[in-house]
Every structure is written in C-alpha cells, then in structure tokens.
Amino acid sequence: MITDKNLVAQAVEAQKRAYAPYSNYAVGAALLGKSGRVYTGCNVENASYSMTICAERTAVVKAVSEGEREFEAVAVVTDNGGTPCGACRQVLAEFGPEMRVLIATPQSLVQECTVADLLPGAFLPRDLP
Ligand code: THU
C-alpha cells in the first residue's frame, strides 16, 4: 500500500535525477498505477530546447510502455510548488481525469486536486468518433 507521503517521497527522489542544465528547474514525478506499482519520472532537457520532456510525461510514458494504463494518483515535486504544464495535464487526462494530483515541494504538500480540476473540459478519448 503506497501512501501519499510515500508517493511524494518517491517524486522527491526522482526530482534529484532531473536533467535540467538549461532551466535549472528540477521536476520529479511519481505515478501510482492501479496495480500498486509506482513509475517515477524527471524532466530531461536537451540542447535543442524543444526536445525537452517534462517529468510527468516521462512517468506516463514509462508506465504505459510497461503495460499500465490506469492510475490512482501522481505526485509532482518542484522547489517552488509549481503546477503541471498544460501539455502534461492533457497527457494525464488521457489516462484518467479523476486521478489525484499531489503538488509538493521537497518540504511539504502544497495542493491536492484531480486532473479534471487542473484541466476542466479536457479533450478525451470519448470525444473522438
Ligand atoms: N517541467 C516539467 O517537468 N513539468 C511541468 O509540468 C512543467 C515544466 C520542466 C520542463 C523544463 O525542463 C523545466 O521544467 C522548465 O520549464
């Protein structure tokens, strides 16, 4: 059983692995699958800046490529409690608007909400004919 505290702790560890030499803004994510498995991610920047991938999407891509598609929660850790970007909100919504989102710093939980709270009216798989 993974507690919220443990999920945030895993995101804190993932944040330490961020590769962010250009922005110096390190982000860590920990995504809890319905199987109970946790997939971590960090932002991975690139000298060709637009090739950067965010921590949240790293975690989602790791999980889905390992066969997990349903999620309970995601913890996102930054030094200032920043919230997931629009692209990450959309990618998280694909796999569950009701997923809980724990936004934290390494010191404390800043905000708890759902993906739907962060991206109301998301374009979802059900919107495709
Ligand atoms: N970043 C994330 O990893 N997740 C977000 O939701 C917001 C932004 C990263 C991308 C880039 O490496 C750095 O933060 C600054 O934008």
Side-chain angles (χ1 to χ4, degrees), residues 18-79:
Y19 176 71
Y22 308 107
S23 71
N24 284 312
Y25 189 75
V27 187
L31 181 63
L32 174 60
K34 290 202 171 163
S35 69
R37 201 172 145 189
V38 175
Y39 305 84
T40 60
C42 61
N43 50 334
V44 180
E45 297 187 345
N46 193 278
S48 179
Y49 297 160
S50 63
M51 296 298 102
T52 293
I53 182 166
C54 294
E56 300 92 320
R57 282 179 290 140
T58 302
V60 169
V61 167
K62 282 174 68 178
V64 174
S65 62
E66 293 292 321
E68 185 117 29
R69 294 181 178 177
E70 294 184 312
F71 305 101
E72 299 282 355
V74 61
V76 181
V77 168
T78 60
D79 284 348

Side-chain angles (χ1 to χ4, degrees), residues 107-125:
Q107 291 76 36
S108 62
L109 185 65
V110 173
Q111 186 187 344
E112 181 183 339
C113 58
T114 66
V115 170
D117 292 329
L118 292 176
L119 190 62
F123 185 78
L124 296 173

